[in-house]
Amino acid sequence: MTEPIELPDGRRLLVVEDGEALAAAAAERFVATTTAAVAARGRAIVALSGGSTPKKMGELLARPEFAGRVPWGETDLFWGDERWVPLASSESNAGEARRAFLDAVPAPPERIHPVATDLASPVRAAEAYEAEIRRVAGTAEGIPVFDLVLLGMGDDGHTASLFPGTAALHERDRLVVENFVPKLGVDRITFTYPLLAAAREVLVLVGGAGKADTLARVLEGPTEPEGLPSQSVRVENGTLTWLVDRAAAGSLRSAGQSG
Ligand code: 6PG
């Protein structure tokens, strides 16, 4: 792993060798942030993302070398976004995480908080999820603080389910909203920028050469708030780290300097 590179606006970039190293580095951050949160506050609040890399990270966390290193009993798990499908669907972020690794670790069921996609509508589900986050985080007012939020970046620059040109990009009050994504013709439920901004640590995981050009535009290109939603992610009092593999970093000027 190279040293972190400081980017403008308080963002950090960390480049690792390949997809395996990316999942391993994410798993180590998961252990470190949950352990520190439990030591400081008695519990950890984490948001997982959909996508392939967090799944690999989770599979690692379920392996013997990580057994006993994650304080599962004191860790509340949420998802930064969800698809409007039943948990049993292979499209379900929470369902896939359960099948990939949560069923294999001692995470108490009452600490696993999937979006309720069996409610009457995505609007209801988003409202209920916001209420659940407030209930668990203990914040009736103000913005709840996640100890760790994992994100990914899509080829089109989306993150969580903040897609280019969609209404959720403009939400300033709600913590979680439903977001219709016209190009996919689907409803999503997503964290909003204000909730992300309140986190202690946000980790954006990006792997593979197919993401290289978008990543360069997001981290080093001109500001495109409508076109590249992941570019607008900021953290106010915590850290925001883009953890990427060498292939994804291939078009970055800043990563080139580090060799
Ligand atoms: C989702 C995600 C989404 C994802 C990116 C990157 O539910 O689709 O949460 O934002 O993180 O699309 O996915 P990959 O890491 O699989 O490329």
Side-chain angles (χ1 to χ4, degrees):
M1 196 185 309
T2 56
E3 288 300 304
I5 298 163
E6 303 295 331
L7 300 174
D9 299 318
R11 296 173 291 181
R12 293 189 333 157
L13 169 69
L14 207 50
V15 183
V16 297
E17 196 52 38
D18 54 20
E20 295 303 308
L22 190 58
E28 290 296 346
R29 283 313 303 158
F30 192 103
V31 170
T33 52
T34 52
T35 303
V38 171
R41 290 173 295 282
R43 54 99 177 262
I45 309 182
V46 176
L48 299 170
S49 81
S52 48
T53 312
K55 207 157 140 185
K56 269 197 227 158
M57 174 203 78
E59 285 162 357
L60 272 185
L61 290 176
R63 295 231 296 248
E65 56 269 36
F66 279 96
R69 294 184 62 206
V70 177
W72 292 112
E74 292 81 37
T75 299
D76 282 286
L77 292 174
F78 290 84
W79 278 265
D81 76 319
E82 188 53 280
R83 292 106 187 262
W84 189 240
V85 295
L87 268 175
S89 164
S90 61
E91 287 283 295
S92 164
N93 287 340
E96 282 298 280
R98 184 166 283 177
R99 291 180 282 275
F101 67 99
L102 286 178
D103 284 345
V105 300
E110 68 276 15
R111 289 198 180 268
I112 300 179
H113 311 275
V115 173
T117 53
D118 54 352
L119 296 182
S121 68
V123 174
R124 289 278 174 74
E127 288 168 357
Y129 210 47
E130 178 163 333
E132 175 73 350
I133 291 170
R134 288 196 181 282
R135 183 186 71 76
V136 172
T139 48
E141 287 172 17
I143 304 187
V145 176
F146 274 76
D147 294 297
L148 175 65
V149 177
L150 292 161
L151 294 174
M153 182 200 77
D155 300 346
D156 60 355
H158 83 261
T159 191
S161 280
L162 298 165
F163 279 82
T166 57
L169 306 185
H170 304 284
E171 181 58 48
R172 295 292 171 264
D173 298 321
R174 303 279 311 281
L175 309 178
V176 181
V177 292
E178 73 290 353
N179 195 26
F180 180 68
V181 184
K183 78 169 184 187
L184 301 176
V186 298
D187 284 305
R188 296 284 186 98
I189 315 294
T190 186
F191 279 22
T192 59
Y193 289 127
L195 182 53
L196 299 176
R200 290 197 171 83
E201 177 162 344
V202 172
L203 199 55
V204 193
L205 308 176
V206 188
K211 301 274 174 83
D213 289 345
T214 305
L215 187 66
R217 285 172 59 210
V218 166
L219 294 183
E220 298 178 339
T223 309
E224 292 184 59
E226 284 297 321
L228 295 172
S230 54
Q231 196 180 51
S232 296
V233 175
R234 290 289 182 283
V235 174
E236 273 156 25
N237 295 307
T239 60
L240 169 54
T241 304
W242 285 74
L243 178 58
V244 313
D245 69 9
R246 205 163 279 289
S251 301
L252 289 174
R253 290 189 304 275
S254 29
Q257 291 160 14
S258 77

